[in-house]
Amino acid sequence: KATVSVLYWKKVGNREGERKKMSVVERIANCHTESNEAADRRWAAVRTIDTAFKEWTKDASSQVVVYGSVALEVHLEGADTDLVCVTSSGFSHNFFRAFPSYLRGKPNVTSVSYVPAMPPLLNAVVHGVQHDILFCFIPLGAPLPPNVNLNDDRYLYNMDEPSRRSVGGPRLVGALFERVPNMVTFKPALKAVKLWAARRGLHGVRYGYPGGVTWAAMMCFTARRCPANASPDTLVSTFFKLFEGQGLNHPISILDDLHGWQKGPTDEMAVLVPFPTPPGTPVQMV
């Protein structure tokens, strides 16, 4: 079982005597935050892809939306960046055929490869950072608004199935931001649990364990059962208490109720703990 100790004191700032309480969980999370140099490379890579995508679509309203652990600010150094290229221009039929070669011609792009998954995606290494790139075509017949809000259900109308699946990740991140009572304490708590899982080989969908989105939903489930001012230590402690006794066939939901929850394809995998998620978001299974 995980144990959490009491607070320690840490100096912050340059003012004499100024101190801030920081929990052990916060200390652990801070020790595993990527360096400023690595963060600069990561966002330089996102800007490179965003610029290339705008150029390729010949549409300044086309945009790259970052989601996953990077959007939640709980990623570890060396983590992949998940993003989706979104456009309302009529290029949906040849994105995966034509955009890879265009992106390869840009500086600091090491490799670009197509992955025939569902939804399909590109794996690209830009500025030394690995990216998983999805694509979404929104048939608006007009330019996209700045900072398009993919949690707006109206964008799902007339969207093809691969695009609907591609926006699932960003929509789930948006749902987490809406439902977590306190993001300040949520982030270090989630990061600590992900570290715990990674060091024990319990992290990653490809290995049959929860992925980043699932751990985030589990921590959200925990945070919604704690006071809004609960410390990161309390969230982590409650997390292990909750899931130590969690029954295998009981849905773990971040919704206020289970009306309209999406059930997973049980004929494709053995579902141990179903995760009901908001409409238009990926179905996560543990």
Side-chain angles (χ1 to χ4, degrees), residues 158-224:
N158 300 319
M159 191 182 287
D160 60 41
E161 185 61 22
S163 292
R164 286 177 64 95
R165 288 175 177 254
S166 293
V167 299
R171 284 172 63 85
L172 186 54
V173 169
L176 289 171
F177 274 112
E178 291 175 358
R179 288 166 173 80
V180 170
N182 186 340
M183 290 299 296
V184 173
T185 56
F186 171 84
K187 291 177 183 180
L190 173 57
K191 200 169 185 179
V193 167
K194 289 178 64 178
L195 279 166
W196 170 86
R199 292 192 173 186
R200 286 158 179 79
L202 304 175
H203 188 287
V205 173
R206 71 184 66 180
Y207 308 115
Y209 295 106
V213 171
T214 306
W215 289 115
M218 292 168 73
M219 184 55 73
C220 178
F221 177 84
T222 302
R224 287 167 62 85

Side-chain angles (χ1 to χ4, degrees), residues 138 150 152-160 163-164 167 171 279-280:
I138 301 178
L150 295 177
D152 187 336
D153 290 343
R154 292 175 295 179
Y155 291 133
L156 299 178
Y157 300 152
N158 300 319
M159 191 182 287
D160 60 41
S163 292
R164 286 177 64 95
V167 299
R171 284 172 63 85

Side-chain angles (χ1 to χ4, degrees), residues 10-20:
K10 178 183 178 182
K11 281 187 176 181
V12 293
N14 296 320
R15 288 173 291 179
E16 185 68 25
E18 182 182 8
R19 293 176 181 272
K20 175 186 177 181

Side-chain angles (χ1 to χ4, degrees), residues 189-283:
L190 173 57
K191 200 169 185 179
V193 167
K194 289 178 64 178
L195 279 166
W196 170 86
R199 292 192 173 186
R200 286 158 179 79
L202 304 175
H203 188 287
V205 173
R206 71 184 66 180
Y207 308 115
Y209 295 106
V213 171
T214 306
W215 289 115
M218 292 168 73
M219 184 55 73
C220 178
F221 177 84
T222 302
R224 287 167 62 85
R225 280 150 185 79
C226 294
N229 63 349
S231 70
D233 289 359
T234 298
L235 292 182
V236 171
S237 178
T238 304
F239 176 93
F240 285 104
K241 289 176 182 176
L242 278 174
F243 291 106
E244 179 186 33
Q246 177 67 37
L248 291 181
N249 294 316
H250 295 86
I252 298 168
S253 177
I254 63 172
L255 301 176
D256 294 323
D257 59 63
L258 298 185
H259 178 69
W261 73 280
Q262 302 179 70
K263 191 173 182 180
T266 55
D267 56 331
E268 296 181 7
M269 65 181 76
V271 178
L272 297 181
V273 181
F275 248 120
T277 56
T281 63
V283 178

